[in-house]
Amino acid sequence: MISNQILQSTVDGLKNITRKEITVLDREGKLVATTETDIGQAPMTFVDSVIQSPAENQLIQGSQYFKVLDNGIAEYILVVRGDDEDAFRVGKIAAFHIQALMMAYKERFDRDNFIKNLLLDNLLLVDIYSRAKKLRIENGVRRVVYLVETTVDTDMSAVEILRGIFPDRQKDFVTAVDETSIILVKELNDRDGTEEIEQVAHTIVDTLSSEAMSRVYVAIGAVVTDLKNVSSSFKEARLAQEVGKIFEAEKQIVNYERLGIGRLIYQLPLPLCRIFIKEMLQGFSIDDIDEEMFTTVTKFFENDLNVSETSRELFIHRNTLVYRLDKLQKMTRLDLRKFTDAITFKITLMVNRYMQYRERQQF
């Protein structure tokens, strides 16, 4: 239903145009919005009689009373001060405007419900297309799901900020799924590729980070062209979110179509991971590697095994880097200056990280 804030803004705007005092009451006689500073009890006293009357509007004690109907039932009572023709005309316009707002909000609610049920696979195939047609949601267009995680409660401003970024509600759908997660189902142009899709994610991160003062994490599903597959894109976004947090925790944007080897490791059963770690390390533990060595290895991988560039970025002498790599070789029997050993150690680190994540999930 329409928020009291929206109704208050509506009657304030109408007063600025018409110079008439306008009040909105709910069907129980409670004040919802008003332009008057001292409304008194009189308008609330007559709500029951107005609702019970078959007439859509009445003139009572110098004020015009109008029913605002929802499916034939009075949802609100609108009161305009004055018994002249202008007051009557203003009341009719205001009642019509609020009724149109109610229909718009109800349609948005219906569309949001449809998208939520679509994402959760709660709809039969035949219902998807019939309901989409009724809600004027087009099928056969390219769409992608963005799963946005914030550090603020989504009941606050994050959802509205996101709706402000994507205001076309006929094409783009924004809905909260829990306390910190929001889903954007975005319609794409035929020319939009990976770069354009990820640019949207950057826009989300930049805007929410600055306006909602929140750290933002965005996972992107695969592109789909049929409404029935939107749920698949959502599941892929959730998978990307989880895989990204395991293997690329420092990144704020992760794309399902760019998960790489992390996607394969994520599918491995724990017993197989333990066998692999035991075979690769032969009694040595990853926990024995100190933070300095981890930093060195990470930077070495980032620079494509380039010793000179890595030593420069770490502000250490080349011989110091060589010493550290030799030390790691003695511990693991893997020489990271060789491509085969380097990729073996990289995979070992990823498998070990995945094992730790899975073991934490079991507790």
Side-chain angles (χ1 to χ4, degrees):
M1 195 49 64
I2 312 174
S3 69
N4 291 4
Q5 185 179 359
I6 295 293
L7 287 171
Q8 185 63 55
S9 176
T10 299
V11 297
D12 286 341
L14 288 169
K15 180 186 176 179
N16 290 336
I17 298 170
T18 65
R19 306 299 179 190
K20 293 289 186 182
E21 301 291 353
I22 304 172
T23 297
V24 179
L25 308 169
D26 66 15
R27 57 183 294 107
E28 296 175 353
K30 295 178 181 177
L31 180 65
V32 175
T34 185
T35 60
E36 300 189 49
T37 55
D38 184 16
I39 184 175
Q41 290 295 317
M44 305 171 191
T45 306
F46 301 113
V47 167
D48 284 341
S49 61
V50 172
I51 289 177
Q52 292 171 11
S53 171
E56 289 190 7
N57 63 280
Q58 297 180 58
L59 176 60
I60 304 174
Q61 292 188 357
S63 294
Q64 303 279 359
Y65 286 73
F66 297 84
K67 294 178 183 177
V68 182
L69 303 175
D70 180 19
N71 290 330
I73 299 172
E75 191 68 34
Y76 296 109
I77 301 298
L78 185 138
V79 186
V80 180
R81 291 289 187 186
D83 56 4
D84 56 3
E85 185 66 25
D86 283 347
F88 174 78
R89 188 178 301 110
V90 168
K92 291 290 284 185
I93 293 171
F96 176 80
H97 185 64
I98 292 175
Q99 193 160 334
L101 277 176
M102 288 169 56
M103 291 177 63
Y105 269 73
K106 183 182 289 188
E107 181 173 324
R108 192 177 90 177
F109 178 77
D110 288 343
R111 291 164 72 88
D112 284 351
N113 266 352
F114 171 73
I115 293 299
K116 285 181 179 178
N117 285 317
L118 186 64
L119 292 167
L120 298 173
D121 280 331
N122 288 340
L123 296 171
L124 296 174
L125 190 61
V126 66
D127 291 334
I128 291 175
Y129 302 115
S130 60
R131 289 189 61 183
K133 186 176 181 181
K134 191 176 296 184
L135 294 169
R136 301 189 299 280
I137 298 174
E138 191 175 352
N139 186 36
V141 298
R142 299 174 73 231
R143 291 184 174 91
V144 66
V145 173
Y146 295 83
L147 180 56
V148 183
E149 184 177 302
T150 69
T151 55
V152 297
D153 194 321
T154 51
D155 285 340
M156 298 171 62
S157 59
V159 174
E160 290 307 319
I161 290 171
L162 207 55
R163 283 177 176 152
I165 303 174
F166 308 100
D168 191 346
R169 291 172 183 166
Q170 290 295 115
K171 295 183 176 182
D172 304 326
F173 307 96
V174 178
T175 184
V177 289
D178 56 37
E179 290 80 2
T180 59
S181 298
I182 308 168
I183 290 174
L184 164 66
V185 182
K186 179 88 176 67
E187 184 174 317
L188 304 173
N189 296 322
D190 292 337
R191 300 182 301 276
D192 288 343
T194 302
E195 186 176 339
E196 288 78 15
I197 290 170
E198 292 186 352
Q199 184 55 49
V200 171
H202 283 289
T203 301
I204 293 170
V205 169
D206 294 343
T207 306
L208 285 181
S209 297
S210 59
E211 294 191 25
M213 303 298 289
S214 165
R215 177 167 174 79
V216 183
Y217 188 90
V218 180
I220 308 170
V223 176
V224 297
T225 56
D226 196 301
L227 278 171
K228 65 182 174 63
N229 295 326
V230 168
S231 63
S232 298
S233 184
F234 171 53
K235 291 170 186 173
E236 289 157 358
R238 289 178 63 180
L239 175 64
Q241 180 188 56
E242 192 163 357
V243 173
K245 285 183 177 180
I246 298 171
F247 302 114
E248 298 179 298
E250 71 285 352
K251 287 189 176 182
Q252 287 184 269
I253 297 171
V254 59
N255 191 337
Y256 175 80
E257 296 185 342
R258 293 192 177 189
L259 291 180
I261 198 169
R263 187 203 314 267
L264 296 176
I265 295 174
Y266 186 80
Q267 309 295 327
L268 296 176
L270 271 179
L272 186 59
C273 292
R274 294 190 182 103
I275 292 172
F276 175 80
I277 292 292
K278 185 177 180 180
E279 179 184 335
M280 289 297 104
L281 300 181
Q282 296 185 12
F284 172 74
S285 173
I286 297 294
D287 295 333
D288 294 335
I289 302 176
D290 58 32
E291 187 176 344
E292 181 182 66
M293 186 66 79
F294 257 121
T295 303
T296 301
V297 170
T298 301
K299 188 62 67 176
F300 191 53
F301 285 149
E302 286 176 2
N303 288 295
D304 298 325
L305 314 185
N306 187 308
V307 173
S308 299
E309 186 63 24
T310 303
S311 59
R312 186 185 67 81
E313 290 191 15
L314 289 174
F315 303 103
I316 60 176
H317 194 275
R318 177 188 175 94
N319 290 343
T320 304
L321 176 59
V322 171
Y323 168 77
R324 292 179 185 175
L325 294 176
D326 288 340
K327 181 181 176 182
L328 185 65
Q329 183 179 0
K330 290 178 182 177
M331 297 167 69
T332 64
R333 298 177 309 285
L334 295 172
D335 184 357
L336 300 195
R337 286 158 292 195
K338 296 179 180 179
F339 175 77
T340 303
D341 285 357
I343 197 166
T344 299
F345 189 66
K346 176 71 172 178
I347 293 173
T348 301
L349 289 177
M350 293 180 71
V351 171
N352 186 71
R353 188 178 302 175
Y354 172 64
M355 280 176 53
Q356 291 176 339
Y357 172 81
R358 287 286 302 272
E359 286 166 356
R360 286 196 302 269
Q361 295 294 102
Q362 293 177 354
F363 294 101

